[in-house]
Amino acid sequence: PGYIKGYVPGVRENGGQYTHTAIWTIMAAAARGDTELAWEMFSMINPISHGDTPAEISKYRVEPYVAAADVYGVEPHTGRGGWTWYTGSAGWMYRLIIESLLGVHLEVDKLRITPCLPKAWKSLQIHYRDRDTDYHIRVDDPSGDGGRTSIGRLTLDGELLSCDFIPLIDDHGDHRVEIELQPS
């Protein structure tokens, strides 16, 4: 098969966790509304999960605050991370968290929030800065069902908006946004 033959079994693209594709799989689960699976898989690849005990650190052997491109899957290297600082996995993981899981999407002068929240989360807060203006956003899921949601109610500085996005205006102000979700 070429390039992949250069790696021993369980290393890089040849088995174990290949982080780019793991992230894309989680993005797909979130996009189809399989929230619990998306968050479960995210916790599996989260670098913090590989370094939360001294035993895990000794196995992982790379920085637990950096996304590894891969985690090896065959002895004697099982659980060891590889290719940390020079991988694109960190950028993809950032997009996974911000866009796919928290549902934050910037569209020029509009901010859409369509989170994919686990059932355990009843709310979240986002502090968003657009140029010289701050938006303090509280998102509540009163149903507690989790899953893919849409905006049921949106207020900006106490005023009810009839749109499903936050209009961004660079007025150097400090704005309060409250979003109540409903199942999609």
Side-chain angles (χ1 to χ4, degrees):
Y3 171 79
I4 199 169
K5 284 176 44 178
Y7 294 109
V8 298
V11 173
R12 301 269 307 138
E13 293 94 330
N14 203 2
Q17 171 190 306
Y18 190 57
T19 307
H20 282 78
T21 55
I23 289 169
W24 298 329
T25 302
I26 299 167
M27 286 175 157
R32 72 169 195 252
D34 199 340
T35 304
E36 296 304 315
L37 178 61
W39 282 91
E40 179 185 346
M41 288 190 297
F42 172 65
S43 73
M44 292 169 65
I45 70 165
N46 186 341
I48 292 170
S49 300
H50 295 292
D52 55 357
T53 67
E56 288 295 317
I57 287 287
S58 129
K59 182 176 18 172
Y60 193 48
R61 299 176 75 179
V62 294
E63 309 87 340
Y65 46 84
V66 179
D70 54 306
V71 180
Y72 308 150
V74 173
E75 290 296 338
H77 308 293
T78 304
R80 184 174 182 176
W83 292 64
T84 54
W85 288 99
Y86 39 85
T87 176
S89 295
W92 280 108
M93 190 171 290
Y94 177 82
R95 289 192 66 186
L96 165 66
I97 295 165
I98 299 299
E99 296 171 3
S100 298
L101 298 177
L102 298 180
V104 177
H105 300 275
L106 175 63
E107 300 171 7
V108 186
D109 60 350
K110 298 175 182 146
L111 189 65
R112 292 190 192 275
I113 312 283
T114 55
C116 187
L117 300 179
K119 288 181 182 177
W121 289 26
K122 304 303 177 216
S123 66
L124 70 103
Q125 292 184 18
I126 300 167
H127 300 284
Y128 186 84
R129 185 171 182 88
D130 179 60
R131 295 167 279 178
D132 293 318
T133 304
D134 292 313
Y135 293 86
H136 305 283
I137 305 163
R138 179 174 173 88
V139 180
D140 290 302
D141 184 6
S143 74
D145 291 336
R148 183 54 70 190
T149 56
S150 61
I151 292 178
R153 186 170 188 277
L154 169 65
T155 63
L156 175 61
D157 297 326
E159 260 187 63
L160 184 63
L161 301 181
S162 60
C163 54
D164 65 350
F165 59 85
I166 302 162
L168 300 176
I169 301 167
D170 189 23
D171 63 2
H172 304 261
D174 203 46
H175 299 283
R176 302 270 176 239
V177 177
E178 291 185 16
I179 296 173
E180 188 174 291
L181 300 174
Q182 64 185 13
S184 305

